[in-house]
Amino acid sequence: MNIVNLISKACDTKDEAAREIVTILNEGNLAIPFLSYQCKLEISNTKSHETLFRGTSFCTKGVDYYMKLICKNYLEETIGPTIKKIVKQHKDCEIDPSKLLNDSGEYISNAEEVPEENIENLKEYSRSILDSIFENSTQFPVELEELFSNIQDYAIEQFPDFYDIRYSSVSAFIFLRLFSPAILNPQLFGLIDENLKTREVRTLTLISKFVQQTANLVEYNNSKEPYMSVLNDLIKEYIPYIKKYIDLITRIHHKTIIKPKKIFFGMFKKKANDNDKVDIQCDLAKRFSSLHRIINRNLDNIKKEVNRNNNREEKKAFNELKIIIEKLNDKAVILSNNSIDDKNI
């Protein structure tokens, strides 16, 4: 795992590296301990609870990708039906006065002129989204239960004086980095196939904003997007449910639910058995090849990171990594030469 941690810290393309590393480790049931460790490092290096997981790092990219990897069915069961209903019903949910016209064809001047029907439409869909999430909490992927339980424990230990850190540390991922983006762009998450019309795009944008704000456990103030304050009563109503939901999805009694496999590197293709919640086919050979290219490209960066830290374990891991890469490079040259010879015959 030391080698993987080195790669994660020094790679130049966090998206690509996170995708390949997490996919490979997931095949050996090692993604949870790896991501837990990455989150623990990030938490320990975060000075303020208000900025925890707010930036883009290898840690957040890794968890983002892992959630997308295993949560497609869960998203379809929770927010999928309401999103499909929004697309089908085509209701107007606009509540921003600057985007609404009056009978004279002029933009309305204040929030009091926003049609009550629009507000109620938006509230109806927002309720439906959150209600479905809460009602399906028992279907939450067990892998993420363990990961988020670990994250919550680390955050509480790092920021013991801030009670709500037990909620914000988890909502930073499940709501702000999964539900809200999936609501905002359901096509990207495979929830719908059709292209969205302008009205539906705007409706989903408003709902995504509402979900994010509610997950932040604070109401809207009048200084930023004041028109959204009409949803404050709904936010106030749902904050306790957000907390209860997070309590439920992090309440596990035994850690290491997902047992690591002793051998998996020889299995270039694998399908989860019927008892698993995750059903993924993965071409490991392709993933390892991609990771090989990433490491080759970043070997000097990794070396600089090791020298900077001057850590014995990291130096040992780097030497092991270098030997592996040199052998793979030699193998690649041999295969390339054989391929050229075959073409010349």
Side-chain angles (χ1 to χ4, degrees):
M1 197 64 80
N2 281 331
I3 291 176
V4 180
N5 288 327
L6 277 179
I7 299 168
S8 67
K9 285 193 288 187
C11 61
D12 56 0
T13 52
K14 298 187 188 305
D15 276 330
E16 185 183 10
R19 182 178 66 247
E20 305 303 350
I21 290 174
V22 169
T23 303
I24 291 170
L25 292 179
N26 187 53
E27 288 299 297
N29 288 344
L30 293 168
I32 296 300
F34 171 70
L35 291 172
S36 295
Y37 179 74
Q38 293 298 317
C39 289
K40 185 175 184 179
L41 285 180
E42 179 139 336
I43 291 170
S44 66
N45 291 324
T46 302
K47 304 302 180 184
S48 170
H49 70 284
E50 295 179 345
T51 60
L52 183 61
F53 299 134
R54 298 293 171 167
T56 299
S57 63
F58 184 90
C59 166
T60 57
K61 288 290 185 183
V63 177
D64 282 359
Y65 180 72
Y66 186 66
M67 290 192 296
K68 291 176 184 176
L69 190 65
I70 67 171
C71 283
K72 186 176 186 299
N73 291 340
Y74 182 64
L75 289 174
E76 288 175 346
E77 292 169 2
T78 51
I79 65 175
T82 301
I83 289 175
K84 290 181 174 68
K85 187 189 296 184
I86 290 169
V87 174
K88 183 179 180 180
Q89 293 181 340
H90 197 59
K91 291 182 179 180
D92 193 353
C93 297
E94 185 56 72
I95 59 173
D96 183 355
S98 68
K99 297 181 183 295
L100 288 167
L101 299 175
N102 59 23
D103 294 337
S104 303
E106 299 174 343
Y107 287 105
I108 62 178
S109 57
N110 56 67
E112 285 73 21
E113 297 181 64
V114 174
E116 189 65 29
E117 183 181 3
N118 290 20
I119 298 173
E120 291 306 313
N121 287 341
L122 182 58
K123 286 185 175 182
E124 176 192 343
Y125 288 140
S126 298
R127 282 182 180 277
S128 179
I129 287 278
L130 288 184
D131 285 346
S132 185
I133 290 173
F134 302 149
E135 289 166 5
N136 285 279
S137 60
T138 57
Q139 304 302 313
F140 192 74
V142 65
E143 299 89 345
L144 286 180
E145 286 183 0
E146 180 169 1
L147 176 61
F148 289 152
S149 179
N150 290 338
I151 290 172
Q152 190 180 67
D153 288 346
Y154 302 148
I156 291 172
E157 182 180 356
Q158 179 75 3
F159 302 105
D161 297 331
F162 299 96
Y163 183 82
D164 279 351
I165 196 68
R166 69 192 65 238
Y167 303 118
S168 60
S169 59
V170 176
S171 67
F173 286 113
I174 190 63
F175 283 101
L176 276 61
R177 294 178 179 273
L178 183 67
F179 284 129
S180 288
I183 293 167
L184 191 62
N185 196 340
Q187 291 166 300
L188 184 64
F189 287 77
L191 299 177
I192 59 171
D193 297 322
E194 60 266 49
N195 292 323
L196 292 171
K197 296 179 181 178
T198 302
R199 175 173 287 183
E200 281 67 59
V201 170
R202 180 58 179 166
T203 296
L204 293 175
T205 298
L206 291 170
I207 295 173
S208 179
K209 287 175 179 286
F210 162 76
V211 169
Q212 286 191 49
Q213 191 71 20
T214 309
N216 285 333
L217 309 179
V218 292
E219 299 173 33
Y220 283 102
N221 56 44
N222 291 325
S223 60
K224 184 180 180 182
E225 297 180 316
Y227 60 88
M228 293 294 289
S229 62
V230 297
L231 299 177
N232 276 345
D233 58 335
L234 205 58
I235 291 174
K236 189 175 181 179
E237 176 186 344
Y238 274 94
I239 283 176
Y241 292 99
I242 292 280
K243 292 181 177 181
K244 183 178 179 181
Y245 173 77
I246 292 174
D247 285 338
L248 287 171
I249 65 173
T250 56
R251 189 177 298 165
I252 62 174
H253 302 292
H254 302 286
K255 298 297 177 69
T256 62
I257 291 174
I258 313 301
K259 300 294 184 182
K261 296 177 184 176
K262 291 183 179 179
I263 299 174
F264 75 99
F265 288 104
M267 300 168 59
F268 287 142
K269 285 191 177 180
K270 167 255 184 183
K271 185 175 181 179
N273 62 46
D274 293 337
N275 295 323
D276 290 338
K277 284 190 176 182
V278 184
D279 186 9
I280 301 168
Q281 284 190 326
C282 173
D283 185 352
L284 283 180
K286 182 179 179 181
R287 298 294 185 181
F288 276 116
S289 177
S290 177
L291 186 58
H292 175 213
R293 290 193 298 271
I294 294 171
I295 296 171
N296 254 333
R297 194 171 65 236
N298 289 278
L299 205 56
D300 287 341
N301 291 337
I302 297 172
K303 183 178 180 179
K304 290 177 183 177
E305 179 73 19
V306 171
N307 290 337
R308 186 184 304 116
N309 296 338
N310 197 27
N311 179 283
R312 180 183 296 179
E313 290 298 319
E314 285 192 353
K315 287 182 177 180
K316 181 181 178 182
F318 175 74
N319 289 332
E320 292 173 354
L321 175 64
K322 191 175 179 182
I323 291 171
I324 293 171
I325 293 300
E326 287 174 351
K327 288 181 178 180
L328 288 173
N329 289 344
D330 290 342
K331 183 70 172 178
V333 170
I334 293 172
L335 291 173
S336 177
N337 290 337
N338 288 342
S339 176
I340 293 172
D341 291 340
D342 290 341
K343 289 180 180 179
N344 292 333
I345 293 176

